[in-house]
Amino acid sequence: MRNPAKHFYEFGPFRLDAQKHRLLRNGDLVPVPSKALEALIVFVQHPNQMLEREALMQAVWADTFVEDANLTVAVSQLRKSLGQNGVAGEYIETVPRVGYRFVAEVREVHDQPTPLIIEKRTLSHTVIEEELVPDTPHTEEQSQSILVRPVGQRLSFLPFSLSRAASVSLLAGAALLAVALSAVSYFGTSKPAPSSPAVAIRSLRSIAVLPPKSLSGEADASLSLGMADALITRLGSVGRLPVRPTSAVVRFLDGNQDPVTAGRALGVDAVLDGTLQRDAGGMRLTLRLINVANGMQLWFGHFDGASTELFKLQDDISQQVGEALFTGLSMDDRALLTKRLTTNAEAYSLYLKGNYFWNKRNLEASKSLDYFRRAIELDPNFAQAYAALAAVNSTMGNPSPEAEALIEKALKLDNTLADAHATYSFIRMFQHWDWPAAEKELDLAIELDPNSVKAHHWKGVYLSLRGRLDEAKVEMHRALDLDPLSLIVMADLSQLHYFAHEYDQAIDYCNRALVLDSHFSVAHEYLFDIYRMKGMDQEALNAWIKRRHADHDVQAIERVRRSFDRSGLRGIVIDELDMRMKSRESGPAIITGRNQVIVGNNEDGIRWLQRAFEEPKTHWNPYLNVDPVYDGVRNDPRFKELLHRMNLP
């Protein structure tokens, strides 16, 4: 029996089977969203031709009306699947305001028919090895620490006192029995069975590392978070698959989470869950990789070490988990799996506590400053601590020289830190209005770590301030894909839709954040503006009050209620203006100017905005370019001059 001839398109290391909608890279299947793959088919069929956006949309979404942004999203997804990561001209070239061009050399290949051979294979020792462990072989010593159960075996724990040799023997015997039973009716090719752990692990597209649950009587929150953070950082640095950031999993630190439920909330294929136990001078970490789709266990391992050898234990864990997850690790990959942020355990603990508070993005976030500073005092060469402190300084307050000095120090210590480059970009945006340098730093950050939430988030902020709202949505959604539970990314997506006058979508994203944290003040602050623009006065008042509840400002709440009863929302804004005028420290002039424009005093508003540009820079300045509040004064030459001073269109 013979197969029919097959027709493929090849470019670079890729082979595209248009008929079966499959893209391979060096023989491995590449996951591509369906519409992105359809766009790729159109591209390879018309290489080096300028394809207009409208024509592409008609080809990909035939007989379906979709927004222009859908094409932008599809092309962005395709670039990421191809590994382009923003490198202009590698595969897909953007022709501004017109369309795209596929610039790679495309070869059409017609494979000759080949005999279809069905190989009947009996179960052998080799197949058992395939079923039990991933492709990369382990030494005998390593195999004692990596214990793997096959897919379909329900979860159970061995007694703490069970010896390693006995554990290996029992698990190997159980696995052998499971494989033998499944092999009774098994005939197939030389590849592992679809149910094998090795195949299931290799098909993973994303994972999350949950903080292990403490089995000790004492609280081990910082140690548990540290174990998870080390694994997240190291596995993510290899770049084989997205790993949810520490900011996404910190909410599961209490240890009460069901791993499958947590995995679904995080939008991943698998979670690495476990337990942490400490006794007299020793630690045991037990880990299990759980398939979120069916709750089955793909991998299991336990690790023992002395409490004084935390970093060595982390190295062992990272290496062995990396071996289980990835095949064909290079020397560089192995080095990344053992790269330490610091060798000072106390500095590392302080850094983790700082990150915990910083990721709350609420009134407690300022607590992170002290932790990061103390970490730097203990280890003056702790690059990540400098970068984290710079991020807090540059985002919580107005742009400052201190933040710039901190980030320059971080990059001097380690210029491969993607988040440090992202923070440097943030400073170039808001402190210097240097947009080309900001974009360059963000692109470099994404190149260094395509899975950096901060880089994609702030690339979205950058694009929105430049007025490139459709592109900004792509980056913001990429950030949310990487961290689906990020409150600040949800809120900034809301703000992005607010800039685009898409108020219903803006409300939706704020409410998503508030479902996760009803006290998240940023969302309430954004909702006040959004509801006001929609004419939903009562909802706007409620949002304002909820925002002030976070400050426990009872007097301000009562005052605002009286203003609203007297003059509606306009009364609230006028009341705030009056208080600013009477105060010696009326706050940034740009806030006063914005409020004047809101109540219709455009002349006074322009004068206050001009005054704002004589004061130190604030984060509010660049938002003049996109905030709908200023729609009524955009054509005023004085307003345009302010945009020109910020190098904005």
Side-chain angles (χ1 to χ4, degrees), residues 53 67-70 72-73 463-464 467-477 496 500 502:
R53 295 180 65 89
E67 295 182 357
D68 188 68
N70 288 64
T72 304
V73 172
L463 290 167
S464 68
R468 295 155 59 181
L469 300 184
D470 284 343
E471 294 174 76
K473 291 174 188 175
V474 172
E475 292 296 335
M476 284 286 193
H477 278 288
L496 181 51
E502 298 164 352

Side-chain angles (χ1 to χ4, degrees), residues 528-529 572-574 576-577 580 589-601 605 609 629-630:
F528 175 79
D529 277 331
I572 295 177
V573 180
I574 291 175
E576 184 175 346
L577 277 170
R580 285 180 175 274
I590 196 166
I591 303 299
T592 301
R594 186 176 190 269
N595 286 341
Q596 292 284 10
V597 173
I598 287 174
V599 298
N601 299 334
L609 293 177
V629 162
Y630 302 109

Side-chain angles (χ1 to χ4, degrees), residues 336-473:
L336 290 171
L337 287 171
T338 56
K339 181 179 179 180
R340 300 178 182 179
L341 303 185
T342 176
T343 56
N344 187 307
E346 187 177 353
Y348 185 57
S349 177
L350 291 167
Y351 168 76
L352 291 173
K353 290 175 181 176
N355 268 338
Y356 172 76
F357 287 110
W358 165 229
N359 285 307
K360 285 177 173 288
R361 297 297 178 96
N362 58 20
L363 295 176
E364 288 188 288
S366 60
K367 294 180 180 178
S368 64
L369 292 166
D370 182 56
Y371 287 113
F372 290 139
R373 289 192 179 106
R374 288 161 58 193
I376 290 171
E377 289 174 1
L378 290 172
D379 182 359
N381 294 315
F382 195 167
Q384 283 84 352
Y386 284 101
L389 184 56
V392 180
N393 270 330
S394 61
T395 55
M396 288 195 64
N398 289 322
S400 69
E402 181 187 3
E404 189 161 11
L406 287 166
I407 205 63
E408 287 176 351
K409 176 67 173 178
L411 290 171
K412 184 177 180 180
L413 290 168
D414 187 350
N415 65 1
T416 67
L417 297 178
D419 283 359
H421 285 283
T423 300
Y424 189 46
S425 168
F426 192 93
I427 293 169
R428 299 311 299 178
M429 278 191 275
F430 289 101
Q431 186 166 323
H432 299 280
W433 303 332
D434 185 352
W435 308 105
E439 185 168 26
K440 179 181 177 182
E441 289 295 322
L442 284 167
D443 288 342
L444 177 57
I446 293 172
E447 180 182 348
L448 289 167
D449 181 5
N451 296 319
S452 167
V453 176
K454 185 179 294 182
H456 288 287
H457 176 198
W458 287 351
K459 181 71 178 286
V461 171
Y462 163 83
L463 290 167
S464 68
L465 296 178
R466 300 289 287 166
R468 295 155 59 181
L469 300 184
D470 284 343
E471 294 174 76
K473 291 174 188 175

Side-chain angles (χ1 to χ4, degrees), residues 26-319:
N26 295 325
D28 294 328
L29 184 65
V30 178
V32 187
S34 59
K35 290 302 179 182
L37 189 60
E38 290 180 29
L40 177 60
I41 293 172
V42 178
F43 279 132
V44 299
Q45 291 174 343
H46 303 84
N48 290 306
Q49 296 183 32
M50 211 294 295
L51 301 177
E52 295 184 358
R53 295 180 65 89
E54 185 177 352
L56 267 171
M57 292 178 68
Q58 289 176 354
V60 177
W61 289 275
D63 303 321
T64 303
F65 176 77
V66 296
E67 295 182 357
D68 188 68
N70 288 64
L71 179 60
T72 304
V73 172
V75 172
S76 175
Q77 292 171 333
L78 180 55
R79 281 176 165 148
K80 294 182 190 304
S81 295
L82 297 176
Q84 186 165 332
N85 293 329
V87 180
E90 184 178 351
Y91 294 111
I92 304 170
E93 180 181 84
T94 300
V95 182
R97 297 182 296 278
V98 180
Y100 301 94
R101 181 184 292 109
F102 195 75
V103 296
E105 179 183 352
V106 178
R107 304 174 298 280
E108 292 192 57
V109 179
H110 298 269
D111 277 4
Q112 295 300 316
T114 56
L116 178 62
I117 301 174
I118 298 179
E119 177 185 358
K120 179 177 178 181
R121 182 172 179 177
T122 60
L123 192 68
S124 68
H125 179 74
T126 302
V127 176
I128 293 172
E129 288 291 300
E130 268 186 332
E131 293 290 339
L132 288 178
V133 298
D135 291 350
T136 305
H138 301 284
T139 65
E140 182 177 351
E141 181 180 351
Q142 287 174 319
S143 67
Q144 292 179 352
S145 295
I146 300 184
L147 308 178
V148 182
R149 293 190 176 94
V151 173
Q153 186 172 340
R154 291 297 175 184
L155 305 179
S156 61
F157 288 96
L158 297 172
F160 184 80
S161 60
L162 192 62
S163 70
R164 288 188 177 184
S167 301
V168 173
S169 177
L170 284 172
L171 289 169
L176 178 59
L177 176 60
V179 173
L181 289 173
S182 66
V184 172
S185 60
Y186 173 76
F187 293 97
T189 65
S190 60
K191 293 182 179 180
S195 62
S196 81
V199 171
I201 289 174
R202 284 197 293 271
S203 68
L204 297 178
R205 293 167 296 177
S206 57
I207 65 169
V209 180
L210 303 180
K213 293 179 280 290
S214 174
L215 300 180
S216 306
E218 60 197 83
D220 278 327
S222 61
L223 178 60
S224 178
L225 186 61
M227 288 294 190
D229 181 76
L231 265 175
I232 290 167
T233 302
R234 295 176 181 191
L235 295 175
S237 66
V238 176
R240 298 287 186 90
L241 79 169
V243 184
R244 292 292 180 257
T246 305
S247 59
V249 302
V250 70
R251 68 185 65 248
F252 303 108
L253 186 59
D254 59 12
N256 295 323
Q257 77 281 354
D258 168 69
V260 171
T261 302
R264 288 172 182 162
L266 293 163
V268 294
D269 291 340
V271 294
L272 193 65
D273 189 36
T275 58
L276 176 66
Q277 185 169 356
R278 291 207 288 178
D279 55 16
M283 289 187 294
R284 164 167 287 188
L285 183 67
T286 301
L287 295 175
R288 50 185 185 159
L289 186 66
I290 308 298
N291 188 323
V292 172
N294 55 26
M296 298 303 177
Q297 183 167 290
L298 303 176
W299 177 88
F300 170 86
H302 68 252
F303 307 86
D304 298 321
S307 298
T308 56
E309 297 179 336
L310 172 63
F311 291 125
K312 183 180 182 301
L313 184 61
Q314 286 181 338
D315 291 346
D316 293 340
I317 295 169
S318 300
Q319 283 180 313

